Amino acid sequence: MSNSNMKMIKKDDADDDRIKAIIEEELVRGREFANQLRQLIVIDKTNNNNNEGDSAYHHNHLLSNVISSFANTLSLLNKYPVIDPVHHQSSSSSNSSSSPNNDLMQMQPPQLHSSLLTYDHHICNTPPDRRGSYRRKRNMETWTKESEKEREEDGHQWRKYGQKAIQNEKYTRNYFRCTHKYEQGCQATKQVQKLQENPPLYRTTYYGHHTCTNPDINNHILIMEEHDPNNTSSSSSSIFLSFDNSLPNPPTNPFFSSTTPPPPQPPPKMMKKEEDKEVVPSSSTQQVLDDSSNNDNNICWDDLMMMMIW
DNA sequence: AAGATTTGACCAGA
DNA sequence: TCTGGTCAAATCTT
């Protein structure tokens, strides 16, 4: 990437440390509020929700704190983008490791780009003004997943809008957009490329994030999911935060949406594209949310960046 | 009738 | 100029 592609505010190392500290502080605050909220929800459940008005007030209060904390962090990150070169990867290479022999449930993490934090303004806020007018998606972050089903349940409603024969591909590629594209301006799209017939195999590539809301579940505030409850090792215990889409701009990972009930199957494992292994906190990443009371809930810097983006 | 899908046209980027 | 992504009218499905 070239520096000319991104607006970077010049800052020295001392500023870096200070900004990082503020970001960490905000994230820790946010997590604490989220934990409190979770405990409240658990308590409400065990008490059969005897005092709904009271708990709703507490939920709202905590939620406001969580939102404000993450909004502050996002604001800082927008001002001072944190770039982790290890994760920079062009989506043009996102299909390189896909093969019919790969684990069907494998999925790549979002590819973080230099333009990540300004991406929405550059691409999503530019509505097509003419038929066929579009911007190619080479620099968008993507997730890919392989499946036996063409339309696997991923928690979102999709509308097919196109089908193309692609060069060097035996089968046609199908194009889907979010059903709420026009009513809510949701920019999420996906492409489904059939790879083989018997057994059927499809590669789904997700582009962009869902910004649509689902009125049915608007009151569900925060879901904290253990990524792999059966695995108790610390390396695979990253927490995925999924925020309700009624937040101002809550992009979500297509697989961890809070707007609709999760699919029956377990969530796919996040894979590092180039290494083809699960994303785990690396030694170079920063442990920003150190929870001494619950080591299973440690979140590494990479996870946080992913949460920020979603 | 409303919503979803199909399909040829259109157009930007490589 | 070719290719891939999107549009939108026509058609199909519920």
Side-chain angles (χ1 to χ4, degrees), chain A residues 55-120:
Chain A
S55 62
Y57 171 80
H58 286 300
H59 291 176
N60 279 332
H61 179 67
L62 285 169
L63 179 60
S64 297
N65 288 334
V66 173
I67 293 170
S68 123
S69 189
F70 281 100
N72 289 342
T73 312
L74 279 170
S75 170
L76 280 168
L77 285 169
N78 273 305
K79 259 187 176 175
Y80 311 104
V82 178
I83 305 301
D84 178 2
V86 172
H87 286 85
H88 285 180
Q89 193 180 72
S90 166
S91 63
S92 60
S93 64
S94 64
N95 292 334
S96 60
S97 73
S98 297
S99 84
N101 294 329
N102 285 348
D103 182 350
L104 292 183
M105 294 306 286
Q106 83 168 240
M107 178 178 139
Q108 284 76 36
Q111 271 95 65
L112 309 185
H113 276 268
S114 60
S115 57
L116 185 65
L117 295 168
T118 52
Y119 149 76
D120 280 343

Side-chain angles (χ1 to χ4, degrees), chain A residues 150 172-174 176 190-194 202-204:
Chain A
E150 182 183 17
T172 57
R173 177 178 298 172
N174 293 328
F176 297 85
K190 70 174 180 179
Q191 299 176 7
V192 179
Q193 176 68 58
K194 187 176 182 180
Y202 299 88
R203 179 175 61 229
T204 304

Side-chain angles (χ1 to χ4, degrees), chain A residues 120-185:
Chain A
D120 280 343
H121 295 291
H122 290 162
I123 297 175
C124 289
N125 288 351
T126 309
D129 47 3
R130 291 186 302 277
R131 179 176 172 168
S133 177
Y134 69 99
R135 289 175 184 270
R136 292 209 170 185
K137 295 177 167 180
R138 283 192 175 254
N139 292 320
M140 291 176 72
E141 64 256 60
T142 65
W143 301 261
T144 65
K145 181 190 177 188
E146 292 180 7
S147 163
E148 311 94 324
K149 284 184 266 180
E150 182 183 17
R151 299 192 188 194
E152 191 162 45
E153 179 57 52
D154 57 19
H156 289 283
Q157 293 176 277
W158 299 95
R159 166 85 60 88
K160 185 176 178 180
Y161 67 85
Q163 177 177 323
K164 282 287 273 192
I166 302 299
Q167 210 179 29
N168 299 324
E169 294 285 358
K170 189 175 175 180
Y171 304 98
T172 57
R173 177 178 298 172
N174 293 328
Y175 298 86
F176 297 85
R177 61 168 173 80
C178 179
T179 298
H180 308 295
K181 175 175 180 176
Y182 296 120
E183 54 183 278
Q184 296 179 33

